[in-house]
Amino acid sequence: MKSLKNLPAEQQLKEIDLVAQKLGMPKPSERPVLEIKPGEDGEHKILELKRGKWSDEQPWFVIDEDGKLMVLSSAEAMMGIMNSLQHMGEEVFKARLERAIAKELPIDFHDVWTVAMHELQKRLKESGAEASNVNLENLVKSIKRQHPNLFYSLKDLQIDERDLDEAGL
């Protein structure tokens, strides 16, 4: 986002309203907007209310001395955002693992999932890495090599050689 420092006050508020809309905030033009101004010394600053009311309504938009827009929110709201992001990350990880397993044609998806989770936990303990850094395709391929009985083989499915060539397999 560009600096708001050299923009006229009316344009600053329009830019803030656009950010508020992108964040999905209802009634963005009613959100409190504050500006930080230099104080008497280096230890103090002055907060000037540019729009809205001094209220508990969250969040507040703050324009710092360099024209950078910040959002001031309660710790409770920030914890909610962080929890949502963590949950979303877990869901994305699960979806990636599901796709990696499905690619290898499991006979019983849940059996492969259980083995994958056990193997993942083992690898994470050994390496100290994070789950998001694990190559899930390689993990599932490794499980397929160790436990071929958990997966269909294309040969077992009796697929014609021409069909395999057409599919690029």
Side-chain angles (χ1 to χ4, degrees):
M1 179 173 180
K2 62 184 176 184
S3 173
L4 302 175
K5 189 172 189 165
N6 296 323
L7 295 177
E10 193 173 301
Q11 185 62 34
Q12 286 180 340
L13 295 176
K14 284 181 182 179
E15 292 289 329
I16 292 170
D17 288 346
L18 288 173
V19 170
Q21 285 175 334
K22 287 180 183 177
L23 293 173
M25 295 179 182
K27 301 179 184 176
S29 61
E30 294 178 16
R31 295 285 172 190
V33 176
L34 308 165
E35 185 174 3
I36 298 175
K37 295 193 172 195
E40 296 173 12
D41 56 35
E43 298 294 317
H44 296 87
K45 302 287 181 186
I46 298 170
L47 280 180
E48 180 181 310
L49 184 65
K50 303 287 273 182
R51 179 178 73 192
K53 300 176 188 166
W54 294 98
S55 66
D56 289 340
E57 187 170 348
Q58 296 289 333
W60 290 3
F61 289 96
V62 181
I63 304 169
D64 74 3
E65 293 174 279
D66 297 324
K68 192 165 144 186
L69 181 62
M70 296 182 285
V71 179
L72 181 65
S73 189
S74 68
E76 182 180 335
M78 288 303 296
M79 291 299 293
I81 291 169
M82 295 306 294
N83 287 338
S84 293
L85 289 173
Q86 182 179 3
H87 179 70
M88 186 173 54
E90 290 169 4
E91 292 301 316
V92 167
F93 176 80
K94 288 177 183 176
R96 287 180 44 229
L97 181 55
E98 287 174 2
R99 276 195 306 275
I101 292 171
K103 268 189 201 176
E104 296 299 327
L105 303 172
I107 292 171
D108 185 325
F109 179 87
H110 294 290
D111 285 349
V112 177
W113 179 272
T114 302
V115 172
M117 293 306 287
H118 177 72
E119 181 66 25
L120 183 61
Q121 288 173 348
K122 187 173 105 179
R123 287 185 183 189
L124 294 178
K125 280 183 185 177
E126 290 172 0
S127 68
E130 291 188 23
S132 61
N133 295 334
V134 174
N135 184 322
L136 298 177
E137 284 79 17
N138 287 344
L139 174 76
V140 175
K141 286 177 183 178
S142 170
I143 293 168
K144 187 174 183 177
R145 281 190 302 274
Q146 293 171 7
H147 306 282
N149 58 316
L150 294 177
F151 299 87
Y152 287 109
S153 167
L154 291 177
K155 293 174 186 169
D156 295 341
L157 295 176
Q158 298 178 352
I159 298 175
D160 190 284
E161 292 280 331
R162 291 174 292 194
D163 293 337
L164 288 175
D165 288 339
E166 288 177 17
L169 300 173

